[in-house]
Amino acid sequence: MRFLKKLLSLVVTVWIAVLGVLYICVYGGIVILIGNLIGKIKGRKERKTFISREVSRFGRAAFVLSGSKVRVAGRENVPQNGPMVIVANHQSAFDIPLIPGYVYPEISFIAKKELSKIPGVSWFISALDGVYIERGNRSQTAGAMRKIFRILKEDGTILLFPEGTRSTAGEIGEFKDGSLSIPFKLGVKVIPVALDGTRNLLKKNSFLITPSRISLAISKPVLPEDFASEKEFCEGVYNIIEDALESLRN
């Protein structure tokens, strides 16, 4: 039985890898070209909206093609537009397509600098006004922070995983110091999202994809103005996600 499960995971992994490369590099290239044409005719905002919708479709397709089922609660709590910061716990690399696929499509991603060198992926990050972060490079980080400020001031949306790393056990870890300082300082609403099950889909330090059941709970927006300090704000968001995660498992 264990051998059959591993064989199934290997087949699914190869299947997703092949389709992913074709989708991102071939179809994705066409999407970017069409998006650029839309941008020249209708403007930068319409270009980003078009590409965001395609990324959202890809996010949903990734889970369907992997044989996984996604259950979403609280979708009505997501505002129709920004500015806002979506804050989620982190279990797997699949969390990244999960959020635009099932929560909100038009997101500017914050990504590691290394991803800027990957064809296809880098096209979409740049097209969606994404921000690259190079750890240890203070000047580059300062520039990235200024870009994030600009995105939010222009009614954009960013996605944050405040734990800073993926959880292997599935429990929510402590938020990094200052992880929610940007929305607090700008007074931007935060949308807490609890997710569970992606750690089984793609485990940390593994390349095998296993069909899984994924659950999402989207809570009501949290306003920084309702808290006396950044610390209380951070604790409030953390507690909401922690409680929602527990409810998903009951």
Side-chain angles (χ1 to χ4, degrees):
M1 181 64 73
R2 182 177 297 180
F3 171 77
L4 290 177
K5 286 184 177 180
K6 284 190 175 182
L7 180 61
L8 175 61
S9 295
L10 181 60
V11 170
V12 172
T13 301
V14 173
W15 165 252
I16 292 294
V18 171
L19 289 181
V21 169
L22 289 174
Y23 190 99
I24 294 174
C25 294
V26 179
Y27 181 71
I30 297 172
V31 168
I32 297 296
L33 288 174
I34 295 174
N36 290 339
L37 181 60
I38 291 174
K40 290 181 180 179
I41 298 173
K42 296 185 177 181
R44 179 169 160 266
K45 182 176 176 59
E46 290 298 324
R47 170 180 177 267
K48 185 176 180 180
T49 297
F50 168 76
I51 295 175
S52 295
R53 288 173 180 167
E54 291 302 318
V55 170
S56 181
R57 290 192 183 98
F58 172 77
R60 293 191 297 273
F63 289 90
V64 172
L65 293 172
S66 72
S68 299
K69 294 184 178 180
V70 180
R71 177 171 59 93
V72 183
R75 201 190 299 270
E76 70 280 1
N77 293 324
V78 182
Q80 294 300 308
N81 46 53
M84 61 181 161
V85 176
I86 297 173
V87 175
N89 60 306
H90 198 15
Q91 294 187 356
S92 163
F94 267 87
D95 299 341
I96 297 171
L98 180 69
I99 301 299
Y102 293 91
V103 179
Y104 187 79
E106 204 159 330
I107 295 172
S108 292
F109 293 95
I110 300 175
K112 295 179 181 179
K113 184 68 175 178
E114 293 80 2
L115 292 180
S116 65
K117 300 176 182 178
I118 301 178
V121 174
S122 60
W123 303 344
F124 282 99
I125 293 175
S126 299
L128 296 175
D129 210 13
V131 181
Y132 291 108
I133 299 289
E134 185 176 357
R135 292 181 181 178
N137 188 332
R138 291 187 177 182
S139 61
Q140 191 275 339
T141 300
M145 292 300 104
R146 287 193 294 271
K147 186 173 182 180
I148 292 171
F149 270 69
R150 177 183 61 77
I151 291 169
L152 293 174
K153 286 181 178 179
E154 293 178 354
D155 294 339
T157 298
I158 62 171
L159 167 64
L160 291 178
F161 297 110
E163 296 162 277
T165 187
R166 287 171 280 173
S167 168
T168 54
E171 302 303 325
I172 181 172
E174 292 184 5
F175 286 0
K176 297 291 184 182
D177 291 340
S179 57
L180 298 185
S181 61
I182 290 177
F184 183 78
K185 289 176 181 177
L186 292 181
V188 174
K189 58 182 173 286
V190 161
I191 314 301
V193 175
L195 57 88
D196 192 36
T198 54
R199 72 186 190 281
N200 299 320
L201 179 59
L202 181 62
K203 295 182 178 180
K204 192 173 183 178
N205 300 321
S206 174
F207 68 91
L208 291 178
I209 296 171
T210 304
S212 304
R213 291 182 179 274
I214 315 298
S215 298
L216 270 172
I218 307 167
S219 299
K220 293 180 179 180
V222 179
L223 303 177
E225 62 197 52
D226 293 336
F227 297 84
S229 68
E230 182 181 328
K231 181 180 179 181
E232 290 183 10
F233 174 60
C234 193
E235 290 175 349
V237 174
Y238 179 95
N239 291 334
I240 290 171
I241 296 176
E242 184 179 43
D243 291 344
L245 185 59
E246 185 178 345
S247 296
L248 286 175
R249 296 172 177 174
N250 293 332

